[in-house]
């Protein structure tokens, strides 16, 4: 069984490769996929549940953003928790790209992520989406 750190790293690799099946393989079937409530206006906020919720979320992202690339910079592991500090290159539908910081808090059990919470400055994200 992979370590929690390896599972999280595999999730980022899958996201980078746009491989939804590989991403889902790192997630528990009942995963909580959590984004700030401040993103609800764009259909990107709140908690999505399970693989179906994650797939729906990922399918919706291109309707509000032109692209996104995650760049984990530091990974901190403690027991069943892995926290990732990083930046993301986000491109608006109009083609403007900004670098935004993020914190991802992952909770894992039995080699799968049971919760992923994305924490970021929603005001900056709003301005980019609306540009």
């Amino acid at each position: 069984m992979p370590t929690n750190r390896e599972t999280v790293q595999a999730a980022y690799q899958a996201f980078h490769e746009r491989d939804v099946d590989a991403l889902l393989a790192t997630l528990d079937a009942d995963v909580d996929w959590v984004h700030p409530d401040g993103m609800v206006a764009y259909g990107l906020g709140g908690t999505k549940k399970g693989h179906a919720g994650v797939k729906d979320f990922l399918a919706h992202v291109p309707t509000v953003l032109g692209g996104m690339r995650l760049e984990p910079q530091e990974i901190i592991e403690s027991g069943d928790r892995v926290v990732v500090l990083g930046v993301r290159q986000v491109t608006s539908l109009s083609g403007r790209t900004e670098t935004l910081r993020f914190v991802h808090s992952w909770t894992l059990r039995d080699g799968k992520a049971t919760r992923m919470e994305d924490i970021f400055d929603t005001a900056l994200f709003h301005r980019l989406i609306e540009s």
Side-chain angles (χ1 to χ4, degrees):
M1 180 181 317
T3 66
N4 289 339
R5 181 187 195 97
E6 289 168 340
T7 298
V8 169
Q9 288 172 316
Y12 287 106
Q13 185 64 34
F15 188 83
H16 177 72
E17 295 172 358
R18 307 268 191 260
D19 187 340
V20 174
D21 290 333
L23 174 62
L24 294 177
T26 68
L27 307 177
D28 186 80
D30 293 321
V31 66
D32 288 327
W33 190 258
V34 184
H35 291 82
D37 289 337
M39 297 302 291
V40 167
Y42 303 105
L44 301 176
T47 301
K48 311 304 184 219
K49 189 74 173 164
H51 286 185
V54 172
K55 285 171 37 176
D56 289 347
F57 175 86
L58 294 174
H60 180 69
V61 170
T63 69
V64 240
L65 295 173
M68 183 181 319
R69 184 180 139 142
L70 299 174
E71 298 175 15
Q73 296 178 320
E74 184 176 355
I75 298 175
I76 304 160
E77 183 176 6
S78 179
D80 65 356
R81 179 69 55 95
V82 176
V83 175
V84 179
L85 309 173
V87 295
R88 64 178 118 217
Q89 304 297 324
V90 183
T91 303
S92 69
L93 290 175
S94 68
R96 185 171 147 226
T97 300
E98 293 282 341
T99 301
L100 305 174
R101 296 188 180 283
F102 70 80
V103 176
H104 288 164
S105 175
W106 297 79
T107 305
L108 295 101
R109 183 181 63 241
D110 299 327
K112 302 277 185 175
T114 58
R115 179 180 176 89
M116 191 291 298
E117 183 171 0
D118 191 358
I119 303 158
F120 56 89
D121 184 336
T122 59
L124 288 174
F125 223 106
H126 281 237
R127 283 198 295 272
L128 180 61
I129 289 173
E130 294 168 5
S131 68

